[in-house]
Amino acid sequence: MMVVKDWLTTSIQEFFLPERLRSVDDHIFSDPNGLSLIKESEAVIDKIITHALEKGPLKGTQVFKKNGRTFKLKLKVSQKRLKLMSFDTHLSPSAIKKRVVMTFARQQTYKPQKKPLKEGLVYYMKNGKSHVRSIQKSPFFQGLLEKFIQLDAALEGHAPTAVANAQSATEEVSPGKDEQIEQSSYEKAIRELYRQNSELPQALSNRLQQLLEEITALTPALHLFSVEDRYQIKRMIDEDIPELLKAYRGLDEEAQSTQMSRVYEALTKMELTLQRLQEQEDRAKNDRFEYLLKLNEKRYPDNKE
């Protein structure tokens, strides 16, 4: 019963997100045909990396293409960004034809950023309807993002591995300037909610206190969450909680007494949502690890002959 309730809560929350902020379902890319699209893209970028190291630093804008029977790719490289489009052709055996679009901010022209992937979307048809979903949080695309980092370095004439490692080390130190500003706005909104807490009945005050403690614990790591999860947390802090409390305080004393249990339940659900988001973040790291193991098993199979 709890599983059904969690599924319903998650579905409702996803429904209110803009379509391109909703994470793509794992099954779209977890089958052999979905993995093939990603592996083909990685293989093409590997060849471009080798080409870039041989030719030296990039001059101007270049376009690289791969026209296969079941798969096509186009990569546009400029001084500021890398833009990839790869897609299944009509001859692909994949039941769900997909078109992936990714835009990567060049790190040699900008300060290193925690999230250099500025756009990551997949377009596909399913059950006769067109869909667009975010792939920024998908563990299946982390390898492709690493290829972008390596290619970016190669285009500047640097050894990919060294620069990629330096990039990772820089990213883990602290969030970028924009993320620090965003985090500061969270903290300001949270302080205001703490102030309002003193105006509530004791039962709701205790419930809100626990919710705010959960939010406060997450705040230092907000820059590590996906854009859709940060959007949901920000909406909770800026809109959902303060508007709910304002509406409750606007009721007369009798109505407040009658509706207190419903407000208590709403705050509890918000706290459970935060816990779920943290669990999802942890699962994404584990999924990424499992994906890398499976990918290596495919690339380096046992050869017993």
Side-chain angles (χ1 to χ4, degrees):
M1 189 69 180
M2 180 61 70
V3 173
V4 174
K5 185 176 180 181
D6 289 345
W7 179 83
L8 286 172
T9 302
T10 302
S11 299
I12 292 171
Q13 291 163 344
E14 283 276 310
F15 177 79
F16 287 105
L17 284 174
E19 190 177 10
R20 59 181 49 221
L21 290 183
R22 301 180 204 171
S23 295
V24 64
D25 292 333
D26 284 347
H27 76 270
I28 299 295
F29 289 102
S30 59
D31 70 318
N33 293 317
L35 284 174
S36 177
L37 178 67
I38 297 171
K39 288 173 63 180
E40 289 276 7
S41 300
E42 290 182 359
V44 172
I45 293 181
D46 274 333
K47 292 180 180 179
I48 299 174
I49 289 172
T50 301
H51 173 81
L53 289 173
E54 292 174 352
K55 298 296 183 179
L58 171 73
K59 294 181 180 179
T61 299
Q62 294 186 25
V63 177
F64 300 88
K65 294 182 179 181
K66 167 73 173 182
N67 292 317
R69 180 173 174 273
T70 62
F71 158 85
K72 291 189 177 183
L73 177 146
K74 177 181 177 181
L75 178 66
K76 184 176 181 180
V77 179
S78 68
Q79 295 295 332
K80 292 185 177 181
R81 63 183 61 87
L82 308 172
K83 184 161 186 176
L84 171 78
M85 182 176 71
S86 58
F87 58 93
D88 296 310
T89 70
H90 69 284
L91 296 175
S92 169
S94 180
I96 300 177
K97 304 295 190 293
K98 299 166 289 294
R99 177 166 58 93
V100 172
V101 179
M102 301 175 72
T103 302
F104 177 91
R106 297 284 306 277
Q107 301 299 287
Q108 304 305 315
T109 54
Y110 295 92
K111 291 179 65 178
Q113 303 166 56
K114 177 62 191 175
K115 294 188 180 294
L117 188 61
K118 297 305 179 185
E119 178 186 47
L121 299 171
V122 57
Y123 301 81
Y124 60 93
M125 292 288 295
K126 185 178 179 182
N127 299 327
K129 294 180 62 178
S130 61
H131 301 272
V132 54
R133 292 290 187 270
S134 170
I135 58 175
Q136 296 208 27
K137 195 177 178 181
S138 171
F140 299 105
F141 283 88
Q142 296 308 303
L144 196 51
L145 177 56
E146 290 170 9
K147 296 294 182 186
F148 275 138
I149 294 173
Q150 294 175 13
L151 176 58
D152 184 27
L155 291 169
E156 293 294 322
H158 301 298
T161 303
V163 172
N165 289 342
Q167 170 84 11
S168 297
T170 303
E171 287 173 352
E172 291 173 2
V173 172
S174 62
K177 184 176 180 181
D178 289 344
E179 288 162 344
Q180 289 175 341
I181 293 172
E182 184 179 38
Q183 185 167 309
S184 177
S185 71
Y186 287 142
E187 292 169 351
K188 182 178 179 181
I190 292 169
R191 285 196 299 270
E192 176 59 23
L193 289 174
Y194 270 115
R195 186 193 66 76
Q196 295 180 27
N197 192 23
S198 62
E199 304 170 3
L200 296 172
Q202 190 61 47
L204 289 183
S205 177
N206 292 341
R207 180 75 270 169
L208 179 59
Q209 177 74 20
Q210 195 162 336
L211 173 60
L212 293 177
E213 287 175 359
E214 189 80 33
I215 293 173
T216 303
L218 284 178
T219 301
L222 277 175
H223 63 285
L224 300 177
F225 283 76
S226 68
V227 63
E228 58 265 30
D229 288 347
R230 290 208 309 275
Y231 173 90
Q232 190 168 6
I233 295 170
K234 179 175 174 58
R235 187 183 62 194
M236 184 185 295
I237 298 169
D238 290 344
E239 300 176 20
D240 296 344
I241 299 175
E243 289 179 6
L244 176 64
L245 297 181
K246 182 179 179 181
Y248 174 75
R249 290 196 302 270
L251 301 175
D252 59 41
E253 187 173 340
E254 182 180 354
Q256 284 187 359
S257 179
T258 302
Q259 300 296 336
M260 183 186 298
S261 62
R262 297 180 67 190
V263 177
Y264 187 97
E265 182 181 2
L267 295 174
T268 301
K269 288 180 178 179
M270 291 181 193
E271 183 178 351
L272 291 173
T273 296
L274 293 175
Q275 294 172 357
R276 178 183 59 79
L277 291 178
Q278 183 63 66
E279 290 170 359
Q280 284 181 349
E281 186 69 19
D282 294 338
R283 280 199 301 270
K285 294 176 183 178
N286 293 331
D287 290 345
R288 167 64 178 153
F289 175 72
E290 292 296 330
Y291 164 71
L292 289 174
L293 288 180
K294 290 179 181 178
L295 188 60
N296 277 279
E297 287 173 2
K298 290 180 179 293
R299 288 176 174 172
Y300 312 108
D302 292 334
N303 190 353
K304 297 180 180 180
E305 297 182 1

